[in-house]
Amino acid sequence: MKVVTYNIQWSKGRDGQLDLGRIARAVDGADIIGLQEVEAGWKRSGGIDQAEALGALLPNYFRVYGPGFDVEASRVRPDGAIEHRRRRFGNMILAKGPILSCRVFPLPKIDVRALGTMQTAVVEGVVQLGARAIRVYCVHLDDVLARERHLQIAALRRILDEAPPQGGMMTGTAPPNDPYLDEDWHNGEPQTPMPASAIVMGDFNAPPATTEYDALIGPSDPRQGRVVTPDFLVDTMTASGHPEDCGATWHPYANRSSEAPKRIDYVFVTADLAGSVRRAWIDHEAQGSDHLPVWAEIDDQGV
């Protein structure tokens, strides 16, 4: 099973051009795709719904879109009728198998008056892969404050821990003769699962040499280094033999040339999948964004 995460920066590439086609080509072929900075209704990207456009470019994928940022953009026409529009910015999951359920979790946000910040979110999808299902999380953390990222990571960890005991979107059996529920409680479909195993991918805006990275995968032990424990995630790059400083996934534009390239995009897995990671790599050829796609290959038998 191949998994890829890509912060597409609303398809603005290194050449300054917008091209959703090259975004789609860069990720096509993966079994599960996580995209960040997918927008709809913004002037800078032509006002289009990029989630719909990407779905059309990748027609063989199931998809869900979860905007963390969603604000009013309607206008009144000359005839007085309201043209209903929203301005959205968020994360998208695409998968070769059905996405059985989806939830969107807004992440904690701090009002930083001197700097521009935006509401971000985690999108959860339960993806059916053959006979089994797996939880998939597409994540975008704040790029301004480490303190805010720590709050967001704490929220993410709660979401990950609490999901399996909560069960799927609908659980149990409807009471007999309940007039407020359809007689077919699950609409003829099996109850949606909430598996223990999970893939957690996205733009975390934190390089490995940060306390935020430690909060995600666990601190480095003075004697043993990084060790896998059930209460933390596993970085697929290091699990497949790469060093933590194995390469950058974000490169600055000319107007931010004082910043060094850094690895801030990751595919993580829960500890039970650590032994199933076969390889991971950064696609250094992609040109569609200021970020690069990060890929991981996970043994299907481990899912």
Side-chain angles (χ1 to χ4, degrees):
M1 173 180 64
K2 289 183 179 179
V3 179
V4 61
T5 182
Y6 195 7
N7 180 328
I8 71 168
Q9 197 196 210
W10 35 278
S11 82
K12 183 179 179 181
R14 297 191 191 184
D15 56 4
Q17 301 302 307
L18 275 65
D19 186 349
L20 285 172
R22 62 183 171 185
I23 297 294
R25 291 189 294 273
V27 297
D28 195 8
D31 297 288
I32 299 175
I33 301 167
L35 304 177
Q36 304 86 48
E37 297 197 18
V38 180
E39 65 184 30
W42 289 66
K43 292 179 181 178
R44 64 189 180 188
S45 53
I48 68 169
D49 185 328
Q50 291 191 327
E52 287 295 319
L54 285 164
L57 289 167
L58 296 164
N60 297 320
Y61 286 85
F62 297 88
R63 65 184 188 270
V64 293
Y65 176 54
F69 177 92
D70 188 339
V71 302
E72 176 63 69
S74 300
R75 59 189 176 189
V76 180
R77 297 180 180 139
D79 62 2
I82 298 173
E83 181 181 346
H84 297 281
R85 301 188 307 170
R86 308 295 299 175
R87 190 152 57 100
R88 296 184 169 108
F89 189 81
N91 307 340
M92 188 174 182
I93 297 174
L94 302 98
K96 287 289 185 67
I99 303 173
L100 304 178
S101 66
C102 173
R103 296 189 292 178
V104 180
F105 301 92
L107 290 171
K109 180 179 179 298
I110 297 173
D111 184 0
V112 184
R113 297 299 173 93
L115 298 166
T117 59
M118 183 182 292
Q119 178 67 57
T120 59
V122 176
V123 179
E124 172 195 86
V126 176
V127 177
Q128 186 73 40
L129 295 171
R132 300 185 65 181
I134 188 168
R135 284 184 293 152
V136 175
Y137 293 87
C138 189
V139 181
H140 192 186
L141 300 189
D142 175 65
D143 68 336
V144 175
L145 292 179
R147 180 163 65 96
E148 185 172 50
R149 287 192 292 275
H150 275 288
L151 293 173
Q152 294 175 339
I153 291 167
L156 172 62
R157 294 193 60 181
R158 284 194 299 272
I159 292 164
L160 294 172
D161 292 344
E162 293 173 359
Q166 288 172 350
M169 298 292 283
M170 293 188 295
T171 56
T173 304
N177 304 316
D178 189 327
Y180 296 102
L181 298 172
D182 292 336
E183 61 181 25
D184 188 348
W185 175 234
H186 294 284
N187 199 32
E189 300 292 335
Q191 295 188 31
T192 53
M194 191 59 70
S197 300
I199 298 168
V200 184
M201 57 182 167
D203 175 4
F204 291 80
N205 273 305
T210 59
T211 55
E212 300 99 287
Y213 184 77
D214 289 351
L216 288 159
I217 71 164
S220 181
D221 183 83
R223 293 181 60 190
Q224 305 300 332
R226 302 280 187 189
V227 294
V228 175
T229 60
D231 51 338
F232 286 97
L233 297 171
V234 176
D235 184 344
T236 57
M237 290 294 286
T238 57
S240 57
H242 299 282
E244 291 183 1
D245 59 349
C246 57
T249 64
W250 175 82
H251 294 263
Y253 281 114
N255 64 345
R256 297 177 67 177
S257 58
S258 61
E259 295 188 52
K262 49 192 173 183
R263 185 164 83 98
I264 57 175
D265 303 88
Y266 304 92
V267 177
F268 296 114
V269 294
T270 46
D272 61 301
L273 296 179
S276 300
V277 177
R278 293 292 169 259
R279 62 187 182 118
W281 66 98
I282 301 167
D283 177 5
H284 292 283
E285 301 303 316
Q287 300 290 316
S289 170
D290 57 343
H291 291 248
L292 296 173
V294 179
W295 290 73
E297 187 173 337
I298 302 168
D299 188 347
D300 289 1
Q301 302 304 312
V303 175

